Amino acid sequence: MAATRPVGPTVAEQPAPAKRRNENARLAVLNAADDLLVERGFDGLTIEGIAARAGVAKQTIYRWWKSKVDILYDNLVLDAEDALAWPEPAPGASYTVAELRGYLHRFALFLGTAPAGRVLQALLGHAQLDRRTFDLLHTGFLGELTARDTERVRQCLAGLVPGAGGQDGAGAGAAEASALLDALLAPLYYRALLARGPIDPALVDAALDEQLALALARSTPGV
């Protein structure tokens, strides 16, 4: 992982030297956790190993995180801020199918090949056995991501399918968008979690085209 990940205060805040050293240590811990997860897997990842790789004391790690799950979760959130961002539409414009297509391709790369994808896969697996991890992941990261993406998809449908957008994300528009998002992401999760390899971009395009055709058919009278 590159050592330029933005963590902590911005340059404009001009942190004191001691604060800057703390943030350097925090960044080292996050990077070490990512590297060790790829090398050793979730079970082989330990606080002791992270501390040794990062060159910090265990007490330093426990000052910021309760467990390795919390470290991985912070990594996931930080990486997703850029990797899973949507471009801002022009003022007064809504999101388009082209932007949805681009997002799905970025999501496939994130989930199938990026180190952050390995973090998400590890947390999803552990969440099946640990209730705290389940709540942290689904109430936090995945819940917020799904809510945001459902609204983006609703806007895409509103511009493509007459009457599919609903009003303010409520009613049938939000339900249609949620169902479409599930149908688009399900094969990506399946390939990443079970096939454990890169996701073919052609699969992304085929799934989107098929689901949009179905949405159009449902909205056309007499079809």
Side-chain angles (χ1 to χ4, degrees):
M1 176 174 296
T4 57
R5 175 192 304 185
V7 176
T10 63
V11 174
E13 291 174 339
Q14 294 298 318
K19 179 65 173 178
R20 189 177 296 113
R21 284 195 297 270
N22 287 342
E23 292 303 331
N24 288 339
R26 180 179 171 86
L27 177 60
V29 170
L30 292 170
N31 288 338
D34 258 6
D35 293 342
L36 290 172
L37 177 68
V38 173
E39 294 173 15
R40 304 178 185 178
F42 182 83
D43 288 341
L45 182 66
T46 64
I47 296 296
E48 291 78 9
I50 295 171
R53 178 67 63 91
V56 302
K58 285 198 302 181
Q59 292 83 350
T60 299
I61 294 179
Y62 284 120
R63 189 183 308 149
W64 291 316
W65 298 282
K66 295 180 180 180
S67 68
K68 65 181 182 181
V69 166
D70 296 280
I71 299 173
L72 293 176
Y73 182 83
D74 276 4
N75 262 328
L76 177 64
V77 171
L78 288 168
D79 285 335
E81 285 180 0
D82 290 330
L84 297 184
W86 288 67
E88 287 297 326
S94 296
Y95 287 95
T96 66
V97 170
E99 289 164 339
L100 172 58
R101 190 181 301 275
Y103 174 74
L104 291 172
H105 279 283
R106 293 193 301 277
F107 195 98
L109 287 173
F110 178 86
L111 190 59
T113 60
R118 294 291 296 273
V119 172
L120 178 55
Q121 292 177 36
L123 290 176
L124 284 170
H126 190 62
Q128 310 312 305
L129 306 173
D130 181 73
R131 182 69 192 188
R132 179 177 177 272
T133 303
F134 180 93
D135 291 340
L136 182 67
L137 191 59
H138 288 270
T139 303
F141 177 77
L142 289 178
E144 294 169 4
L145 190 71
T146 299
R148 183 202 69 179
D149 291 348
T150 298
E151 172 56 20
R152 303 291 196 268
V153 172
R154 187 193 68 80
Q155 293 183 30
C156 293
L157 284 176
L160 180 70
V161 181
Q167 294 182 351
D168 300 325
E176 179 80 6
S178 179
L180 176 59
L181 186 63
D182 286 348
L184 293 172
L185 295 183
L188 305 186
Y189 277 108
Y190 178 86
R191 291 296 180 94
L193 293 171
L194 297 182
R196 298 300 299 272
I199 300 170
D200 187 353
L203 171 69
V204 178
D205 287 326
L208 177 59
D209 293 340
E210 178 182 7
Q211 292 301 322
L212 290 178
L214 290 173
L216 281 170
R218 287 192 295 268
S219 71
T220 303
V223 176

